[in-house]
């Protein structure tokens, strides 16, 4: 009998759960609020409910599943199936989520850092298909990533390898959410673009960004929108973003010597605006032998990458 995969993308605000076939086709997926503020017991119940709901929606039984994969924010220990203490999941402390769910559901459950899971998804179903040495980078609120070496995920000693957003690109730089200074994430994430914009506005720079944000908080999307309208300050910020992305990518080429690097996350939606300056910077700063063998592309799986990556853990 054909077996299906169940992927659960656990986030601080929503849980996305889907049934996926072994070719990476999503049969059905749903999103429900995480209710993270209510603690791990409630969140795990929500995960369980979402799994039963997609099974009901597809007319499948638990016996039709090969297993359940969970992509979770870290820190976590994938080998032990424990979620340690993610900042956006309050009250979580060394929660043995794999043991809890596998006992309740009577099925194999696998856990992985969400960025690592996304890398596996892109490797099996998307832009990294057939590529043995592959790096996936997600650029959104923060920056994360996953690394495939010789066809296998590189997890590191305790499942925390490839924290790509937290390599230092300027030791005198702004403080990052991790507590360090000058991280890649502090310069090239969507949050960083918005921060640079707010700093400029506070200095009195005239820009459409503030107008586009209205009474709300300035976000990266307002910067890109203003740049498309010809706003000079916004265009400078987009150039800066592309430059810092290029610096980070050049470093990643030096670290891992991959055949391909795929960029995903919300900021990648502005690929056409970023690609030229980003690659110009890569060509200037990367080790030439590494750059010559590495292709930099936009990730293919888009908003489905969380569910597909979690499901791919079972393969």
């Amino acid at each position: 009998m054909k077996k299906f995969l169940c992927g659960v993308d656990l986030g601080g605000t929503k849980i996305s759960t889907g049934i996926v076939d072994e070719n990476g086709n999503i049969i059905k997926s749903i999103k429900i609020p995480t209710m993270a503020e209510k603690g791990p017991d409630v969140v795990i119940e929500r995960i369980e409910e979402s799994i039963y709901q997609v099974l009901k929606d597809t007319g499948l039984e638990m016996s039709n599943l090969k297993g359940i994969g969970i992509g979770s924010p870290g820190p976590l220990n994938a080998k032990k199936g424990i979620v340690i203490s993610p900042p956006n999941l309050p009250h979580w402390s060394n929660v043995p989520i794999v043991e809890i769910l596998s006992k309740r559901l009577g099925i194999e459950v696998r856990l992985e850092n969400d960025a690592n899971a996304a890398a596996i998804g892109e490797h099996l179903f998307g832009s990294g298909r057939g590529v043995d040495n592959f790096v996936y980078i997600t650029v959104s609120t923060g920056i994360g990533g996953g690394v495939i070496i010789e066809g296998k995920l590189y997890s590191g000693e305790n499942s925390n390898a490839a924290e790509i957003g937290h390599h230092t690109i300027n030791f005198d730089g702004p403080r990052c959410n991790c507590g360090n200074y000058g991280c890649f994430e502090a310069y090239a994430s969507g949050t960083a673009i918005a921060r640079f914009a707010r700093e400029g506005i506070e200095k009195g720079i005239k820009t459409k960004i503030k107008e586009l944000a209205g009474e709300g908080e300035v976000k990266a999307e307002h910067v890109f929108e203003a740049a498309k309208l010809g706003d000079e300050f916004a265009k400078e910020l987009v150039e800066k973003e592309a430059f810092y992305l290029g610096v980070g990518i050049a470093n990643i080429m030096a670290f891992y010597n991959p055949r391909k690097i795929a960029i995903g996350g919300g900021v990648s939606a502005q690929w056409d605006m970023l690609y030229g300056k980003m690659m110009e910077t890569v060509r200037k700063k990367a080790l030439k032998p590494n750059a010559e063998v590495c292709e930099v592309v936009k990730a293919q799986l888009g908003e489905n990458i969380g569910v597909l990556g979690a499901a791919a853990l079972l393969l």
Side-chain angles (χ1 to χ4, degrees):
M1 190 194 319
K2 184 176 181 180
K3 288 282 188 178
F4 293 90
L5 318 169
C6 181
V8 179
D9 181 24
L10 172 59
T13 57
K14 68 180 185 301
I15 297 165
S16 299
T17 301
I19 302 295
V20 179
D21 70 19
E22 293 191 351
N23 295 315
N25 300 305
I26 295 177
I27 311 303
K28 173 70 179 179
S29 66
I30 62 169
K31 294 179 183 178
I32 63 171
T34 306
M35 299 185 180
E37 69 283 357
K38 296 190 176 181
D41 290 343
V42 170
V43 173
I44 290 171
E45 286 174 8
R46 302 282 290 163
I47 292 171
E48 196 174 353
E49 289 167 12
S50 72
I51 293 166
Y52 280 117
Q53 185 61 55
V54 288
L55 286 172
K56 181 180 177 182
D57 291 346
T58 53
L60 296 172
E61 304 286 341
M62 199 69 73
S63 60
N64 297 122
L65 298 180
K66 186 182 178 93
I68 295 162
I70 301 174
S72 167
L76 53 77
N77 188 317
K79 292 171 185 173
K80 294 183 178 179
I82 294 171
V83 177
I84 298 171
S85 57
N88 58 351
L89 292 176
H91 317 301
W92 286 59
S93 178
N94 297 310
V95 177
I97 189 170
V98 166
E99 180 183 353
I100 292 168
L101 282 172
S102 60
K103 281 183 178 177
R104 287 189 190 176
L105 301 174
I107 195 170
E108 180 183 10
V109 178
R110 294 187 185 180
L111 173 71
E112 189 52 81
N113 174 282
D114 48 11
N116 283 345
I120 295 171
E122 277 289 330
H123 174 58
L124 292 180
F125 303 137
S127 57
R129 195 177 303 200
V131 180
D132 284 345
N133 295 297
F134 172 72
V135 177
Y136 170 75
I137 308 171
T138 177
V139 185
S140 191
T141 304
I143 294 179
V147 176
I148 306 293
I149 297 176
E150 301 299 334
K152 295 182 180 180
L153 178 73
Y154 177 66
S155 297
E157 186 62 29
N158 64 354
S159 308
N160 291 298
E163 284 289 355
I164 285 167
H166 300 294
H167 76 268
T168 301
I169 61 173
N170 179 7
F171 61 83
D172 282 332
R175 188 178 177 91
C176 180
N177 285 334
C178 74
N180 196 6
Y181 291 85
C183 291
F184 183 31
E185 180 173 300
Y187 278 92
S189 64
T191 304
I193 303 168
R195 188 188 73 249
F196 288 135
R198 288 193 297 271
E199 289 171 355
I201 291 166
E202 287 166 7
K203 290 176 183 175
I205 293 174
K206 300 298 181 185
T207 172
K208 289 185 174 71
I209 297 169
K210 187 176 180 181
E211 177 187 328
L212 291 168
E215 296 299 314
E217 185 180 12
V218 169
K219 297 182 179 179
E221 62 200 57
H222 300 129
V223 176
F224 287 110
E225 190 176 348
K228 289 171 185 173
L229 294 172
D231 184 278
E232 289 302 321
F233 177 56
K235 288 197 288 186
E236 287 175 17
L237 292 179
V238 172
E239 283 275 298
K240 182 187 284 190
E241 167 66 10
F243 170 78
Y244 287 130
L245 278 176
V247 171
I249 290 167
N251 290 342
I252 289 160
M253 287 181 179
F255 299 157
Y256 300 112
N257 189 201
R259 170 68 187 84
K260 187 178 280 190
I261 295 172
I263 314 292
V267 171
S268 70
Q270 310 299 335
W271 186 255
D272 292 344
M273 297 182 73
L274 297 167
Y275 184 77
K277 179 68 175 180
M278 180 180 77
M279 292 310 300
E280 176 190 326
T281 306
V282 169
R283 286 189 290 272
K284 287 179 180 177
K285 297 192 174 293
L287 290 169
K288 190 174 180 182
N290 297 47
E292 284 176 345
V293 298
C294 185
E295 182 182 8
V296 181
V297 301
K298 183 180 178 181
Q300 291 179 359
L301 300 185
E303 63 180 15
N304 294 321
I305 194 164
V307 166
L308 287 170
L313 298 176
L314 299 156
L315 301 176

